[in-house]
């Protein structure tokens, strides 16, 4: 239902339009300017129709009102008795979508109202898509344009300049540290240090000294004073990876630091202000650890104001080609080899594989394939044995499949997944794939020519 609002005080006009416009257009009427603005502010209007003769107000005042309406981004249609060309040009200059001569043709108005509504909808979708693409291109080192990754990028941008608790969760190898670095690089601390530490890689007996630092003689072997990671990060970012590996006693001390925004070195008395932003990550289920009493509930709520869940690679297979391409460029250069692509059979195997090691495993597989391969294209024989049957959970690839057929099926699968991720919106799906909407339609046809270029 299109919600149209008529600004007019002519009862005859109201009756004519109300009775003759299409059934899917709900006409509202208001003769008060403030009433019109209030309805727009309450998002009750899709298309606005302005009667320039309302209240016999001078044209200049009505045009000023129309200019005010342009800030609302609503399409504005105008009814006027003035058929001068100069008036029409002036209306167009004020951003009016279209105008009609009184009395209007109901059929013509119905068509124009629909077009104005669809035009406004398309503008909003394109604006949202543009923001999405900008988010994708600005997130450093992260690769992927699946809907799940777009959601991650959106959260990264939302929290980049906020000094609030951000917990990054996901399986090992999904790129949690890359997410933390992106938050740091996009925020106001980008020029300051980024200090990363894996809490599980430091023995429990040393973790407190590593975090808080120590004074000379604080414990056996402490022959001099030393800064801790909290102090070394300065006004930058400290990334505590695998926060779930901290002991309960260390959790208590970390919670106090986060609450008081200060700490002391081991063996010291002088409080040191915490200036750094702290980000956290874990692959463990902290809620389950809370139930098992191995992770403190109060610390959990302190660090988990915003949760960014990084999806597993098997949950976003449409990103595998782009990830593969980035690793090809990286390791072809470092291995001094010219590897330019992946054979469709090999790509199908990569896409069908479950990837228990996630992006890190894919990176290792491509690195290995470049080293052992002898051609410019990675073939199925260049991949480890588990890929030779097409990947876990998939059937064998028919030997009769041609390059064109494999590529056609692959592209169609990616297009269908993009449309599904965008809730059926083909315009957004096309933008997310960086192709035209017309080419998206061609991909979905069974007779698509794979030699076409997007």
């Amino acid at each position: 239902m299109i919600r149209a609002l008529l600004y007019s005080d002519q009862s005859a006009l109201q009756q004519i339009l109300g009775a003759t416009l299409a059934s899917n257009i709900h006409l509202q009427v208001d003769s008060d300017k403030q009433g019109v603005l209030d309805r727009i502010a309450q998002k009750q209007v899709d298309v606005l129709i302005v009667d320039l003769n309302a209240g016999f107000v001078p044209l200049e005042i009505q045009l000023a009102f129309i200019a005010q309406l342009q800030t609302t981004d609503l399409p504005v249609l105008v009814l006027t008795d003035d058929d001068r060309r100069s008036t029409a040009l002036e209306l167009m200059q004020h951003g009016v979508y279209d105008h009609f001569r009184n009395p209007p043709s109901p059929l013509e108005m119905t068509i124009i109202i629909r077009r104005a509504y669809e035009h406004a909808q398309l503008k909003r979708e394109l604006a949202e898509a543009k923001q999405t693409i900008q988010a994708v291109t600005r997130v450093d080192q992260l690769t992927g344009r699946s809907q799940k990754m777009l959601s991650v990028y959106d959260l990264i941008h939302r929290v980049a300049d906020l000094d609030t608790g951000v917990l990054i969760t996901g399986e090992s190898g999904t790129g949690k540290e890359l997410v933390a670095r992106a938050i740091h690089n996009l925020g106001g601390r980008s020029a300051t240090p980024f200090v990363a530490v894996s809490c599980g890689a430091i023995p429990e007996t040393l973790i407190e000294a590593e975090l808080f630092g120590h004074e000379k003689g604080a414990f056996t072997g402490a022959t001099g004073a030393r800064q801790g990671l909290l102090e070394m990060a300065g006004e930058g970012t400290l990334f505590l990876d695998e926060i779930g590996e901290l002991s309960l006693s260390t959790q208590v001390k970390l919670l106090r630091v986060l609450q008081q925004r200060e700490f002391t070195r081991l063996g010291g008395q002088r409080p040191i202000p915490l200036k750094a932003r702290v980000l956290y990550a874990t692959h463990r289920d902290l809620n389950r650890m809370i139930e098992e009493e191995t992770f403190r509930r109060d610390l959990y709520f302190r660090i988990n104001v915003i949760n960014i869940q990084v999806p597993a690679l098997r949950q976003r297979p449409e990103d595998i080609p782009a990830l593969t391409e980035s690793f090809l460029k990286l390791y072809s250069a470092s291995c001094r080899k010219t590897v330019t692509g992946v054979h469709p059979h090999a790509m199908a195997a990569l896409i069908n594989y479950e990837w228990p090691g996630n992006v890190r495993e894919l990176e290792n597989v491509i690195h290995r394939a470049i080293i052992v391969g002898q051609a410019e294209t990675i073939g199925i024989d260049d991949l480890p044995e588990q890929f030779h049957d097409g990947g876990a959970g998939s059937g064998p690839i028919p030997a009769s499949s041609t390059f064109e057929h494999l590529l056609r099926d692959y592209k169609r699968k990616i297009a269908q997944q993009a449309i599904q991720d965008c809730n059926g919106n083909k315009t957004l799906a096309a933008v997310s794939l960086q192709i035209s909407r017309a080419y998206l339609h061609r991909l979905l046809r069974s007779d698509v020519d794979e030699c076409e270029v997007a």
Side-chain angles (χ1 to χ4, degrees), residues 429-440:
V431 172
S432 71
L433 294 173
Q434 294 188 324
I435 61 177
S436 68
R437 198 172 190 273
Y439 183 62
L440 179 67

Side-chain angles (χ1 to χ4, degrees), residues 8-83:
S8 176
D9 56 2
Q10 299 186 53
S11 58
L13 177 62
Q14 299 170 14
Q15 292 172 1
I16 291 173
L17 292 180
T20 56
L21 287 178
S23 59
N24 70 327
I25 298 177
H26 172 61
L27 184 68
Q28 311 168 66
V29 181
D30 204 315
S31 59
D32 178 65
K33 289 183 179 179
Q34 189 56 51
V36 170
L37 295 174
D38 290 343
R39 289 174 186 259
I40 293 174
Q42 295 166 12
K43 300 187 182 302
Q44 299 177 3
V45 186
D46 297 318
V47 178
L48 184 62
I49 307 168
V50 175
D51 178 11
L52 280 191
N53 302 316
F56 299 99
V57 177
L59 178 61
E60 293 76 13
I61 297 178
Q62 295 288 46
L63 289 176
F65 180 51
I66 291 174
Q68 182 181 2
L69 294 172
Q70 292 307 310
T71 61
T72 66
D73 291 330
L74 280 178
V76 178
L77 308 178
V78 168
L79 297 172
T80 178
D81 290 335
D82 191 342
D83 59 357

Side-chain angles (χ1 to χ4, degrees), residues 345-346 348-358 361-362 364-366 368 380-397:
H345 281 76
L350 293 174
I351 292 173
N352 289 327
Y353 185 60
E354 285 296 310
W355 297 108
N358 292 293
E361 183 181 5
L362 174 61
N364 290 343
V365 166
I366 299 303
R368 173 192 180 277
I380 194 72
D381 292 336
D382 299 324
L383 301 178
E385 289 186 7
Q386 64 264 33
F387 294 92
H388 292 178
D389 63 352
S394 71
I397 301 174

Side-chain angles (χ1 to χ4, degrees), residues 306-326:
I306 298 293
N307 175 223
I308 299 180
Q309 174 74 40
V310 186
L313 187 54
R314 64 181 173 276
Q315 296 173 327
R316 52 182 186 113
E318 61 269 42
D319 289 334
I320 290 176
L323 287 163
T324 300
E325 182 181 357
S326 67

